[in-house]
Amino acid sequence: MIINHPLLGPRDAQEFTYLGDASLIDRPDWQAPDAARTFYEYHYLRDNPAGEHRELWFHEQGDRSWLVVTRNTLTHEITKVELAREVARTRGRSA
Amino acid sequence: MRYSGFKVIKEALTGHKGWTPAWRDPAPQADYDIVIIGGGGHGLATAYYLAKQFGGKRIAVLEKGWIGGGNVGRNTTIIRSNYLLDGNEPFYEFSLKLWEGLEQDFNFNAMISQRGILNLIHTDAQRDAFIRRGNAMMLNGADAELLSVAQIRARYPFMNFDNARFPIKGGLAQHRGGTVRHDAVAWGYARGADARGVDIIQNCEVTGFRIENGICKGVETSRGFIGASKVGCAVAGSSGRLMAKAGMRLPIESHVLQAFVSEGLKPVMPGVVTFGAGHFYCSQSDKGGLVFGGDIDGYNSYAQRGNLPVVEDVVESGMALFPMLGRVRLLRMWGGIMDMSMDGSPIIDRTHIGGLYFNGGWCYGGFKATPASGWCFAHLLARDEPHPVATAYRFDRFEKGRMIDEKGMGAQPNLH
Ligand SMILES: Cc1cc2nc3c(=O)[nH]c(=O)nc-3n(C[C@H](O)[C@H](O)[C@H](O)COP(=O)(O)OP(=O)(O)OC[C@H]3O[C@@H](n4cnc5c(N)ncnc54)[C@H](O)[C@@H]3O)c2cc1C
């Protein structure tokens, strides 16, 4: 698989480490009254779709950036690659 | 029809005209007491033990393709009970005992071969861990023996004992472990279940659940609605996809695991060898091919095929352990989709939906579990309480912090 890095261009997926579902960006509020429940769901439960999946890849052997890759789990086709930082920012999670 | 030596000779002398199909091909009925989704090893074993052991009546197994076409026919066929944790070891030892009597029990040759499994030791820390594991196994009535380098050399002279990174310093052997003709397990259970009245319905995909007021009334299928008082889901790597149709999110991700087989060789590998440090395991099939595998590809997949980097990685590990592999041609490779649960252990439990039961999360080790999984799931479906050896396999263990993290790798499915 080739991941088209937004800053560095096409890179072999072998340079990356995979973390999992990009929903892990949406860390729940630890002070919320239902934090125990939301952290359990955040940590352990997954949509696990067959088809389009947004996921986190770490460019470990490159610029060490985190990417959000939109990939089809049935075909391995990659349709979108974003910097995780930008994704987090648009959701108000990062400065 | 019972199979026997006498029957084989009689058929040989009379032109093989007396063999009949091993199971019927019934049309689905409007409703059943119990419907099992998934005609893999686990689903068929569940139906078999329900009918045979728990007196179940009016049972159907629904399979979207053909029985035995899933992971039960794709795995590397290794059976063993060399686990450490309390939640696991009694369960897997129960399974191994069932394997030992299986062929007599269902009158079908599954070529169960207790040729032994050897886990190699490369460091002192690993030796300590394996001694502890061996003791845990023996406490649970399983067999375990620590082997010296000399003992291993006598059996496997061709291994690279002096690898610079992973020298072989010993091994933990379970002599009762071994291999099984995997697809014959599906056929044997199917035949046994069919003979006891279970309807095995192939080419019948479950596409949804009919849930009214929190109670499951049956399943929607490609062959129409089928009503059921109880529905048990045992669909291996499709669990996430199917249970989403009941509105559930599971502590599971789907990943692909590849396996490989070489050209046929004369007998060289007497047993099963695992090289944990390098992620490689190997045995020789009865046809002579070396059957081996390694790590999962490492990202969510339903593609049922692997990618080349893992092929390279597995073959490198293999070469590090068995330099002779370099002279052997690879015949085939394939991939299977498995549920990777968040602690690497399975789930056999009721769901919060009445009448809907779940069996899944077997990761890449569920083949050895087939008999016990079927037995325990049948127990749960018939009696509505977990079997004593499967009490730890609950959904709520993640919420309650009672994970069964056999490999000590945490809540990261891609690390198991
Ligand atoms: C390459 C590989 C190697 C492995 N090696 C080993 C090993 O050496 N030892 C070991 O213990 N384990 C091993 N495993 C794991 C083991 O194979 C599985 O955990 C186990 O076989 C899964 O249970 P099963 O046999 O019931 O699954 P399957 O045979 O996959 O059965 C599930 C069935 O459900 C059907 N299904 C899915 N969705 C639907 C639907 N909507 N409606 C109807 N039917 C449906 C599928 O078609 C399939 O036939 C390996 C797995 C793989 C992929």
Side-chain angles (χ1 to χ4, degrees):
Chain A
M1 284 192 310
I2 302 291
I3 295 178
N4 195 2
H5 193 296
L7 304 176
L8 305 172
R11 318 298 294 197
D12 193 303
Q14 278 295 88
E15 292 175 14
F16 295 79
T17 339
Y18 178 77
L19 183 68
D21 196 314
S23 67
L24 290 170
I25 291 176
D26 302 320
R27 199 177 165 80
D29 174 9
W30 64 275
Q31 287 175 310
D34 60 348
R37 178 86 206 165
T38 52
F39 266 95
Y40 152 69
E41 289 174 359
Y42 166 81
H43 249 298
Y44 298 114
L45 301 189
R46 296 287 186 271
D47 286 342
N48 196 23
E52 203 163 85
H53 188 222
R54 297 184 82 215
E55 49 201 29
L56 287 163
W57 291 75
F58 176 51
H59 198 192
E60 189 166 22
Q61 292 173 48
D63 69 344
R64 306 187 66 77
S65 59
W66 282 94
L67 304 182
V68 174
V69 174
T70 307
R71 188 179 58 95
N72 189 310
T73 57
L74 286 158
T75 61
H76 297 322
E77 189 195 357
I78 294 171
T79 45
K80 196 170 179 189
V81 185
E82 303 155 274
L83 287 173
R85 184 176 24 135
E86 301 297 335
V87 173
R89 257 191 207 139
T90 57
R91 297 194 204 175
R93 294 211 62 91
S94 164
Chain B
M1 179 185 50
R2 277 193 72 77
Y3 297 132
S4 65
F6 173 73
K7 176 86 181 150
V8 171
I9 294 167
K10 184 175 166 232
E11 288 301 324
L13 296 175
T14 54
H16 291 287
K17 296 208 179 72
W19 300 115
T20 51
W23 54 85
R24 296 164 296 134
D25 183 22
Q29 293 173 29
D31 68 291
Y32 291 94
D33 293 334
I34 300 182
V35 158
I36 314 282
I37 312 171
H42 292 216
L44 292 165
T46 305
Y48 174 76
Y49 292 121
L50 263 174
K52 176 168 187 271
Q53 222 64 42
F54 298 97
K57 297 269 181 322
R58 302 201 324 126
I59 301 160
V61 176
L62 310 182
E63 165 56 48
K64 73 171 174 188
W66 62 94
I67 61 162
N71 285 344
V72 69
R74 283 171 185 261
N75 61 71
T76 44
T77 79
I78 301 166
I79 61 165
R80 56 187 174 88
S81 72
N82 52 3
Y83 281 71
L84 169 73
L85 301 181
D86 288 343
N88 281 334
E89 182 54 23
F91 174 85
Y92 286 101
E93 179 53 21
F94 177 56
S95 204
L96 193 51
K97 291 214 169 76
L98 288 174
W99 283 117
E100 286 173 327
L102 189 67
E103 294 169 324
Q104 296 302 320
D105 183 49
F106 65 20
N107 176 239
F108 198 84
N109 184 4
M111 291 162 65
I112 291 161
S113 159
Q114 291 180 289
R115 56 186 72 179
I117 181 164
L118 172 67
N119 298 162
L120 295 173
I121 295 170
H122 310 282
T123 63
D124 292 338
Q126 211 177 13
R127 180 183 294 110
D128 290 347
F130 278 2
I131 290 172
R132 183 170 167 229
R133 199 204 294 184
N135 286 336
M137 289 162 65
M138 288 190 287
L139 284 172
N140 284 289
D143 66 307
E145 190 190 351
L146 205 66
L147 298 187
S148 69
V149 175
Q151 282 171 301
I152 297 173
R153 258 186 212 279
R155 216 167 167 211
Y156 298 98
F158 49 83
M159 291 202 298
N160 183 359
F161 285 83
D162 304 313
N163 182 305
R165 268 177 86 196
F166 302 116
I168 295 169
K169 295 189 163 192
L172 181 68
Q174 183 176 35
H175 302 299
R176 286 164 59 242
T179 61
V180 181
R181 164 112 196 248
H182 45 7
D183 34 22
V185 175
W187 302 333
Y189 275 125
R191 178 174 163 275
D194 175 86
R196 288 170 180 80
V198 173
D199 282 358
I200 295 166
I201 300 163
Q202 305 184 68
N203 298 312
C204 181
E205 177 172 6
V206 171
T207 52
F209 298 87
R210 188 174 291 177
I211 296 166
E212 288 165 13
N213 302 323
I215 312 264
C216 182
K217 303 284 185 189
V219 289
E220 308 290 348
T221 79
S222 55
R223 296 172 71 172
F225 174 76
I226 299 175
S229 311
K230 292 180 179 178
V231 175
C233 170
V235 296
S238 303
S239 296
R241 203 166 12 169
L242 189 61
M243 297 308 277
K245 298 194 166 131
M248 286 182 73
R249 295 173 82 219
L250 305 178
I252 283 172
E253 288 184 358
S254 298
H255 287 246
V256 68
L257 178 68
Q258 303 190 52
F260 307 83
V261 67
S262 78
E263 61 186 329
L265 306 173
K266 286 183 183 172
V268 302
M269 284 276 301
V272 184
V273 177
T274 79
F275 172 33
H279 301 288
F280 177 80
Y281 48 90
C282 186
S283 65
Q284 187 167 17
S285 80
D286 294 314
K287 283 194 282 187
L290 294 176
V291 180
F292 54 92
D295 269 334
I296 57 177
D297 277 25
Y299 37 82
N300 291 37
S301 175
Y302 286 96
Q304 259 187 9
R305 64 182 161 80
N307 269 325
L308 283 172
V310 170
V311 178
E312 194 178 358
D313 188 60
V314 171
V315 171
E316 270 173 6
S317 303
M319 282 285 287
L321 185 64
F322 305 141
M324 67 157 180
L325 259 186
R327 304 289 295 273
V328 176
R329 272 170 297 205
L330 199 60
L331 209 61
R332 283 184 287 128
M333 49 166 305
W334 62 92
I337 306 302
M338 310 144 325
D339 289 351
M340 294 302 292
S341 67
M342 293 290 159
D343 60 355
S345 294
I347 296 161
I348 302 177
D349 201 1
R350 276 190 287 246
T351 69
H352 68 280
I353 299 162
L356 183 59
Y357 300 75
F358 179 76
N359 176 327
W362 293 98
C363 303
Y364 34 39
F367 176 64
K368 70 176 89 70
T370 307
S373 162
W375 188 297
C376 294
F377 199 36
H379 186 284
L380 179 71
L381 281 161
R383 307 213 173 135
D384 265 303
E385 57 184 59
H387 186 278
V389 301
T391 49
Y393 298 153
R394 305 282 307 275
F395 271 115
D396 64 3
R397 68 175 185 262
F398 301 96
E399 203 168 355
K400 296 195 168 147
R402 293 206 198 103
M403 266 78 77
I404 317 167
D405 195 357
E406 182 79 31
K407 291 181 95 182
M409 284 175 157
Q412 278 270 45
N414 47 350
L415 291 182
H416 287 295

